[in-house]
Amino acid sequence: MKKLIIVLLMICCHISMTAQKTLSLQQLKDSAMSHNIAIRSAKHSIAAAEEQRKEAFTKYFANISGTGAWFNANKGMAKMDMNPGEMLPEELLPILAQSLPAEMLASLNSPMSMTMMKNGTIAGISAIQPIYAGGQITNGNKLAKVGEEVSRLQLQLSENEVEKTT
């Protein structure tokens, strides 16, 4: 019985040893490069550096912003009752009587009601163009390009480290 178990174990070991696949050095390097976290992180930092460079380039252009508001009230916010005839000076009345028709003169003596700000729209657009910012824009663009190059070098360093370790 012991011999039978030993023979079965030997057969199982032989089957498992022959089922394993041998990999070449290049296959191991490729697998390590594609699954390494440091390399993935370095690739993401390159993408972030490229976006920062693009953002720094936009500082050369005008910054445009706009606002808007609309309101509608059920009652006017400012009400006023006035009589235009009372506001006119006495010297002006004979001159107006000669030049205006009688219906219009009669309406000057009747009171008028005025309501303001019942509904309205407000809008505004502004554009800010930097003319000179003390070299901040050009230096920011230079630093963004350097940051992108540093990210590429870090990726190359990570790839070399993984290849060396593999």
Side-chain angles (χ1 to χ4, degrees):
M1 183 73 166
K2 263 186 174 182
K3 287 184 180 184
L4 180 63
I5 292 176
I6 291 174
V7 170
L8 285 175
L9 283 173
M10 299 258 309
I11 291 172
C12 288
C13 288
H14 179 70
I15 290 173
S16 67
M17 290 179 84
T18 57
Q20 291 180 354
K21 181 179 168 184
T22 57
L23 298 174
S24 68
L25 180 61
Q26 187 60 40
Q27 289 173 329
L28 287 174
K29 285 181 185 179
D30 292 341
S31 177
M33 291 284 189
S34 63
H35 298 301
N36 190 297
I37 293 174
I39 291 177
R40 256 189 258 158
S41 175
K43 286 180 181 178
H44 290 304
S45 69
I46 287 174
E50 287 173 352
E51 294 302 320
Q52 284 178 340
R53 181 184 50 82
K54 290 176 186 176
E55 179 187 357
F57 182 70
T58 63
K59 301 293 184 197
Y60 285 117
F61 304 115
N63 186 6
I64 299 172
S65 63
T67 58
W70 176 78
F71 65 91
N72 187 16
N74 58 353
K75 295 180 184 176
M77 295 182 198
K79 289 184 179 181
M80 179 161 76
D81 292 327
M82 64 179 195
N83 192 348
E86 294 175 359
M87 296 179 181
L88 296 174
E90 293 292 327
E91 303 86 36
L92 191 60
L93 287 175
I95 298 170
L96 288 176
Q98 292 174 356
S99 61
L100 295 177
E103 299 88 25
M104 197 172 269
L105 283 175
S107 66
L108 285 177
N109 290 328
S110 63
M112 295 183 350
S113 177
M114 186 166 65
T115 304
M116 293 188 288
M117 296 180 62
K118 185 171 180 184
N119 53 17
T121 304
I122 301 169
I125 296 175
S126 66
I128 300 171
Q129 172 67 46
I131 295 173
Y132 180 71
Q136 290 178 352
I137 296 173
T138 55
N139 288 335
N141 278 290
K142 288 176 185 176
L143 283 173
K145 288 177 185 175
V146 168
E148 189 176 359
E149 185 62 31
V150 165
S151 295
R152 291 187 194 285
L153 290 173
Q154 285 177 340
L155 173 65
Q156 188 176 9
L157 184 66
S158 295
E159 287 175 346
N160 290 343
E161 182 73 24
V162 167
E163 186 175 343
K164 184 180 78 170
T165 305
T166 304

